[in-house]
Amino acid sequence: MVVGILTAEFYIGGADSLKAKRRVLKSLIERMRSKYNIAIAEVASQDIWQRATIGVTCVSSSARHANSILSSVINDLDKDGEAVLLDYSIEIV
């Protein structure tokens, strides 16, 4: 069993309140959850209006497949128009 872990940090420029930030994140998280078979949640920076850190994980039988899934997720996250991807890291365990 292989576990893939993705941590991604975002800048949400249009968020002028926590409510606005949560709206953007909820949409982003639901799209990724429905498109890919992953677990995804906000894991840090919960009280900062224009910053968000999300964690994504997947379980697979091979490291190559887990890396492929997480790479696809990061590509989709980077294309989002409301949140700017600042940094990310992928770890395969």
Side-chain angles (χ1 to χ4, degrees), residues 9-83:
E9 188 174 340
F10 293 93
Y11 172 74
I12 305 170
D16 56 357
S17 67
L18 286 176
K19 187 176 182 179
K21 172 188 170 180
R22 301 262 190 280
R23 180 190 54 77
V24 171
L25 281 181
K26 184 175 180 179
S27 171
L28 185 84
I29 287 170
E30 288 304 316
R31 278 194 319 246
M32 293 301 113
R33 190 176 284 145
S34 68
K35 186 171 183 178
Y36 300 98
N37 190 16
I38 57 171
I40 181 170
E42 184 178 11
V43 295
S45 307
Q46 284 97 339
D47 294 333
I48 303 172
W49 293 0
Q50 295 183 330
R51 289 279 213 176
T53 303
I54 63 166
V56 179
T57 188
C58 68
V59 177
S60 179
S61 59
S62 75
R64 187 177 196 175
H65 184 250
N67 191 44
S68 173
I69 290 170
L70 295 178
S71 294
S72 296
V73 170
I74 204 67
N75 286 337
D76 279 357
L77 290 172
D78 193 28
K79 293 177 187 175
D80 186 70
E82 293 186 275

